[in-house]
Short mmCIF file of all heavy atoms in Angstrom, two decimals:
data_model
loop_
_atom_site.label_atom_id
_atom_site.label_comp_id
_atom_site.label_asym_id
_atom_site.label_seq_id
_atom_site.Cartn_x
_atom_site.Cartn_y
_atom_site.Cartn_z
N ASP A 105 -18.13 -8.02 -122.16
CA ASP A 105 -18.58 -9.05 -121.21
C ASP A 105 -19.31 -10.18 -121.93
O ASP A 105 -19.46 -11.26 -121.39
CB ASP A 105 -19.50 -8.43 -120.15
CG ASP A 105 -18.71 -7.58 -119.16
OD1 ASP A 105 -17.47 -7.65 -119.19
OD2 ASP A 105 -19.32 -6.84 -118.37
N PHE A 339 -28.84 0.18 -111.31
CA PHE A 339 -27.83 -0.41 -112.21
C PHE A 339 -27.71 -1.90 -111.97
O PHE A 339 -27.80 -2.38 -110.84
CB PHE A 339 -26.47 0.25 -111.98
CG PHE A 339 -25.34 -0.48 -112.66
CD1 PHE A 339 -25.23 -0.46 -114.04
CD2 PHE A 339 -24.42 -1.20 -111.92
CE1 PHE A 339 -24.22 -1.16 -114.69
CE2 PHE A 339 -23.39 -1.90 -112.56
CZ PHE A 339 -23.30 -1.87 -113.93
N THR A 340 -27.53 -2.64 -113.06
CA THR A 340 -27.21 -4.06 -112.92
C THR A 340 -26.30 -4.48 -114.06
O THR A 340 -26.29 -3.84 -115.11
CB THR A 340 -28.50 -4.90 -112.86
OG1 THR A 340 -28.18 -6.15 -112.29
CG2 THR A 340 -29.09 -5.11 -114.23
N TYR A 341 -25.52 -5.54 -113.83
CA TYR A 341 -24.64 -6.04 -114.89
C TYR A 341 -25.45 -6.88 -115.85
O TYR A 341 -26.36 -7.60 -115.43
CB TYR A 341 -23.51 -6.87 -114.30
CG TYR A 341 -22.53 -6.04 -113.53
CD1 TYR A 341 -22.64 -5.92 -112.15
CD2 TYR A 341 -21.51 -5.35 -114.18
CE1 TYR A 341 -21.75 -5.14 -111.43
CE2 TYR A 341 -20.62 -4.58 -113.48
CZ TYR A 341 -20.74 -4.47 -112.09
OH TYR A 341 -19.86 -3.70 -111.41
N GLU A 342 -25.12 -6.78 -117.13
CA GLU A 342 -25.88 -7.55 -118.11
C GLU A 342 -25.69 -9.04 -117.87
O GLU A 342 -24.62 -9.49 -117.50
CB GLU A 342 -25.41 -7.21 -119.54
CG GLU A 342 -26.53 -7.38 -120.53
CD GLU A 342 -26.03 -7.30 -121.95
OE1 GLU A 342 -25.21 -8.15 -122.33
OE2 GLU A 342 -26.49 -6.41 -122.66
N GLY A 343 -26.75 -9.77 -118.06
CA GLY A 343 -26.64 -11.23 -117.93
C GLY A 343 -26.82 -11.71 -116.50
O GLY A 343 -26.88 -12.90 -116.25
N THR A 344 -26.88 -10.79 -115.53
CA THR A 344 -27.14 -11.24 -114.16
C THR A 344 -28.62 -11.05 -113.86
O THR A 344 -29.23 -10.07 -114.28
CB THR A 344 -26.32 -10.44 -113.13
OG1 THR A 344 -26.53 -9.05 -113.38
CG2 THR A 344 -24.86 -10.75 -113.21
N GLU A 347 -31.93 -9.13 -108.10
CA GLU A 347 -32.00 -7.71 -107.74
C GLU A 347 -30.92 -6.90 -108.43
O GLU A 347 -29.83 -7.40 -108.66
CB GLU A 347 -31.79 -7.60 -106.23
CG GLU A 347 -33.05 -7.69 -105.42
CD GLU A 347 -32.76 -7.31 -103.98
OE1 GLU A 347 -32.67 -6.10 -103.70
OE2 GLU A 347 -32.59 -8.23 -103.17
N PRO A 348 -31.22 -5.64 -108.73
CA PRO A 348 -30.16 -4.79 -109.30
C PRO A 348 -29.02 -4.61 -108.31
O PRO A 348 -29.22 -4.74 -107.09
CB PRO A 348 -30.87 -3.45 -109.53
CG PRO A 348 -32.32 -3.73 -109.50
CD PRO A 348 -32.51 -4.95 -108.66
N VAL A 349 -27.82 -4.35 -108.84
CA VAL A 349 -26.66 -4.16 -107.98
C VAL A 349 -26.75 -2.83 -107.23
O VAL A 349 -26.35 -2.72 -106.07
CB VAL A 349 -25.38 -4.23 -108.85
CG1 VAL A 349 -24.16 -3.82 -108.05
CG2 VAL A 349 -25.20 -5.64 -109.40
N LEU A 350 -27.30 -1.81 -107.91
CA LEU A 350 -27.50 -0.51 -107.26
C LEU A 350 -28.97 -0.13 -107.36
O LEU A 350 -29.58 -0.31 -108.41
CB LEU A 350 -26.65 0.57 -107.93
CG LEU A 350 -25.14 0.44 -107.82
CD1 LEU A 350 -24.46 1.50 -108.64
CD2 LEU A 350 -24.69 0.53 -106.37
N ILE A 365 -16.85 6.58 -99.35
CA ILE A 365 -17.90 5.58 -99.58
C ILE A 365 -17.52 4.34 -98.80
O ILE A 365 -16.40 3.83 -98.92
CB ILE A 365 -18.04 5.24 -101.07
CG1 ILE A 365 -18.35 6.52 -101.87
CG2 ILE A 365 -19.14 4.21 -101.28
CD1 ILE A 365 -18.43 6.29 -103.36
N ILE A 366 -18.43 3.89 -97.99
CA ILE A 366 -18.13 2.73 -97.16
C ILE A 366 -19.29 1.75 -97.21
O ILE A 366 -20.42 2.14 -97.49
CB ILE A 366 -17.78 3.20 -95.71
CG1 ILE A 366 -16.99 2.12 -94.98
CG2 ILE A 366 -19.04 3.60 -94.95
CD1 ILE A 366 -16.20 2.65 -93.82
N GLY A 367 -19.01 0.51 -96.98
CA GLY A 367 -20.07 -0.51 -97.02
C GLY A 367 -19.43 -1.88 -97.06
O GLY A 367 -18.25 -2.01 -97.39
N SER A 368 -20.22 -2.90 -96.75
CA SER A 368 -19.66 -4.24 -96.70
C SER A 368 -19.26 -4.70 -98.10
O SER A 368 -19.64 -4.07 -99.10
CB SER A 368 -20.67 -5.21 -96.11
OG SER A 368 -21.86 -5.12 -96.85
N THR A 369 -18.52 -5.79 -98.21
CA THR A 369 -18.11 -6.27 -99.53
C THR A 369 -19.35 -6.66 -100.33
O THR A 369 -20.31 -7.20 -99.76
CB THR A 369 -17.20 -7.51 -99.47
OG1 THR A 369 -17.81 -8.43 -98.60
CG2 THR A 369 -15.82 -7.19 -99.03
N GLY A 370 -19.31 -6.33 -101.60
CA GLY A 370 -20.43 -6.67 -102.47
C GLY A 370 -21.60 -5.72 -102.34
O GLY A 370 -22.66 -5.94 -102.91
N SER A 371 -21.39 -4.61 -101.59
CA SER A 371 -22.52 -3.68 -101.44
C SER A 371 -22.66 -2.77 -102.65
O SER A 371 -23.62 -2.01 -102.75
CB SER A 371 -22.35 -2.86 -100.17
OG SER A 371 -21.10 -2.21 -100.18
N GLY A 372 -21.71 -2.81 -103.59
CA GLY A 372 -21.86 -2.06 -104.83
C GLY A 372 -21.00 -0.80 -104.91
O GLY A 372 -21.24 0.06 -105.75
N LYS A 373 -19.96 -0.71 -104.07
CA LYS A 373 -19.13 0.49 -104.07
C LYS A 373 -18.38 0.66 -105.40
O LYS A 373 -18.43 1.73 -106.02
CB LYS A 373 -18.12 0.43 -102.91
CG LYS A 373 -18.75 0.24 -101.55
CD LYS A 373 -17.73 0.25 -100.44
CE LYS A 373 -16.77 -0.93 -100.47
NZ LYS A 373 -17.40 -2.23 -100.19
N SER A 374 -17.71 -0.41 -105.81
CA SER A 374 -16.94 -0.31 -107.06
C SER A 374 -17.88 -0.10 -108.24
O SER A 374 -17.56 0.64 -109.18
CB SER A 374 -16.13 -1.58 -107.29
OG SER A 374 -15.27 -1.80 -106.21
N SER A 375 -19.04 -0.75 -108.20
CA SER A 375 -20.00 -0.58 -109.29
C SER A 375 -20.44 0.87 -109.38
O SER A 375 -20.57 1.43 -110.46
CB SER A 375 -21.22 -1.47 -109.06
OG SER A 375 -20.82 -2.78 -108.81
N LEU A 376 -20.65 1.47 -108.22
CA LEU A 376 -21.12 2.86 -108.20
C LEU A 376 -20.11 3.80 -108.86
O LEU A 376 -20.47 4.57 -109.76
CB LEU A 376 -21.39 3.27 -106.76
CG LEU A 376 -22.05 4.62 -106.51
CD1 LEU A 376 -22.91 4.56 -105.27
CD2 LEU A 376 -21.05 5.74 -106.36
N VAL A 377 -18.85 3.71 -108.46
CA VAL A 377 -17.88 4.65 -109.02
C VAL A 377 -17.59 4.33 -110.50
O VAL A 377 -17.20 5.21 -111.26
CB VAL A 377 -16.56 4.72 -108.22
CG1 VAL A 377 -16.82 5.26 -106.84
CG2 VAL A 377 -15.87 3.37 -108.16
N GLY A 378 -17.84 3.08 -110.91
CA GLY A 378 -17.64 2.72 -112.32
C GLY A 378 -18.61 3.43 -113.25
O GLY A 378 -18.38 3.51 -114.45
N TYR A 384 -20.10 1.58 -117.54
CA TYR A 384 -21.38 0.92 -117.82
C TYR A 384 -22.46 1.98 -117.85
O TYR A 384 -22.29 3.07 -117.29
CB TYR A 384 -21.71 -0.11 -116.73
CG TYR A 384 -20.83 -1.32 -116.73
CD1 TYR A 384 -19.69 -1.37 -115.91
CD2 TYR A 384 -21.11 -2.41 -117.52
CE1 TYR A 384 -18.88 -2.48 -115.91
CE2 TYR A 384 -20.30 -3.53 -117.53
CZ TYR A 384 -19.19 -3.56 -116.72
OH TYR A 384 -18.38 -4.67 -116.71
N GLN A 415 -9.60 -0.97 -107.80
CA GLN A 415 -9.42 -1.82 -106.64
C GLN A 415 -8.35 -2.88 -106.92
O GLN A 415 -7.52 -3.18 -106.09
CB GLN A 415 -10.75 -2.49 -106.32
CG GLN A 415 -10.74 -3.25 -105.03
CD GLN A 415 -12.15 -3.63 -104.62
OE1 GLN A 415 -13.07 -3.66 -105.43
NE2 GLN A 415 -12.33 -3.91 -103.34
N ASP A 495 -10.37 3.59 -105.28
CA ASP A 495 -11.18 2.45 -104.88
C ASP A 495 -10.37 1.52 -104.00
O ASP A 495 -9.64 0.66 -104.48
CB ASP A 495 -11.70 1.71 -106.13
CG ASP A 495 -12.73 0.64 -105.78
OD1 ASP A 495 -12.89 0.35 -104.57
OD2 ASP A 495 -13.35 0.10 -106.71
N ASP A 496 -10.49 1.71 -102.70
CA ASP A 496 -9.83 0.83 -101.74
C ASP A 496 -8.37 0.64 -102.09
O ASP A 496 -7.85 -0.48 -102.06
CB ASP A 496 -10.55 -0.54 -101.76
CG ASP A 496 -10.37 -1.27 -100.44
OD1 ASP A 496 -9.81 -0.65 -99.52
OD2 ASP A 496 -10.77 -2.44 -100.36
N ILE A 525 -13.11 5.24 -101.61
CA ILE A 525 -13.75 4.01 -101.14
C ILE A 525 -12.81 3.35 -100.15
O ILE A 525 -11.61 3.29 -100.40
CB ILE A 525 -14.02 3.04 -102.31
CG1 ILE A 525 -15.00 3.68 -103.29
CG2 ILE A 525 -14.58 1.72 -101.80
CD1 ILE A 525 -15.34 2.80 -104.46
N ALA A 526 -13.34 2.91 -99.04
CA ALA A 526 -12.46 2.29 -98.06
C ALA A 526 -13.18 1.22 -97.27
O ALA A 526 -14.40 1.19 -97.20
CB ALA A 526 -11.90 3.35 -97.13
N GLN A 527 -12.38 0.32 -96.73
CA GLN A 527 -12.94 -0.68 -95.82
C GLN A 527 -12.83 -0.18 -94.38
O GLN A 527 -13.72 -0.42 -93.58
CB GLN A 527 -12.15 -2.01 -95.95
CG GLN A 527 -12.14 -2.61 -97.33
CD GLN A 527 -13.44 -3.28 -97.68
OE1 GLN A 527 -14.31 -3.43 -96.84
NE2 GLN A 527 -13.58 -3.68 -98.94
N LEU A 541 -23.19 2.52 -98.00
CA LEU A 541 -23.93 1.65 -98.90
C LEU A 541 -24.22 0.34 -98.20
O LEU A 541 -23.36 -0.19 -97.50
CB LEU A 541 -23.10 1.35 -100.16
CG LEU A 541 -23.17 2.30 -101.34
CD1 LEU A 541 -22.33 1.74 -102.46
CD2 LEU A 541 -24.59 2.52 -101.79
N ASN A 543 -26.06 -3.30 -99.44
CA ASN A 543 -26.83 -4.10 -100.39
C ASN A 543 -27.36 -3.28 -101.57
O ASN A 543 -28.50 -3.43 -101.98
CB ASN A 543 -27.98 -4.76 -99.63
CG ASN A 543 -28.46 -5.98 -100.38
OD1 ASN A 543 -27.80 -6.44 -101.31
ND2 ASN A 543 -29.62 -6.48 -100.00
N GLY A 544 -26.51 -2.37 -102.07
CA GLY A 544 -26.88 -1.60 -103.26
C GLY A 544 -27.72 -0.36 -102.98
O GLY A 544 -28.12 0.33 -103.91
N1 DUT B 1 -20.80 -7.84 -109.87
C1 DUT B 1 -21.12 -8.43 -111.08
N2 DUT B 1 -20.27 -8.25 -112.16
C2 DUT B 1 -19.11 -7.52 -112.05
C3 DUT B 1 -18.78 -6.94 -110.80
C4 DUT B 1 -19.65 -7.11 -109.73
O1 DUT B 1 -22.14 -9.06 -111.23
O2 DUT B 1 -18.37 -7.39 -113.04
C5 DUT B 1 -21.72 -7.96 -108.72
C6 DUT B 1 -21.13 -8.65 -107.54
C7 DUT B 1 -21.72 -7.97 -106.37
C8 DUT B 1 -22.20 -6.64 -106.89
O3 DUT B 1 -22.06 -6.68 -108.29
O4 DUT B 1 -22.86 -8.68 -105.92
C9 DUT B 1 -21.45 -5.46 -106.33
O5 DUT B 1 -20.07 -5.61 -106.58
P1 DUT B 1 -19.02 -4.46 -106.29
O6 DUT B 1 -17.70 -4.87 -106.87
O7 DUT B 1 -19.54 -3.16 -106.73
O8 DUT B 1 -18.96 -4.49 -104.71
P2 DUT B 1 -17.98 -3.69 -103.75
O9 DUT B 1 -18.83 -2.95 -102.79
O10 DUT B 1 -16.98 -2.92 -104.51
O11 DUT B 1 -17.28 -4.88 -102.96
P3 DUT B 1 -15.77 -4.94 -102.40
O12 DUT B 1 -15.74 -4.20 -101.11
O13 DUT B 1 -15.54 -6.39 -102.16
O14 DUT B 1 -14.87 -4.37 -103.41
#
Side-chain angles (χ1 to χ4, degrees):
D105 288 349
F339 168 70
T340 200
Y341 290 96
E342 209 190 62
T344 51
E347 270 190 79
V349 171
L350 295 174
I365 302 177
I366 200 159
S368 55
T369 49
S371 55
K373 304 183 294 292
S374 302
S375 308
L376 187 148
V377 296
Y384 291 94
Q415 188 168 20
D495 189 350
D496 205 7
I525 297 180
Q527 301 284 352
L541 272 183
N543 202 13

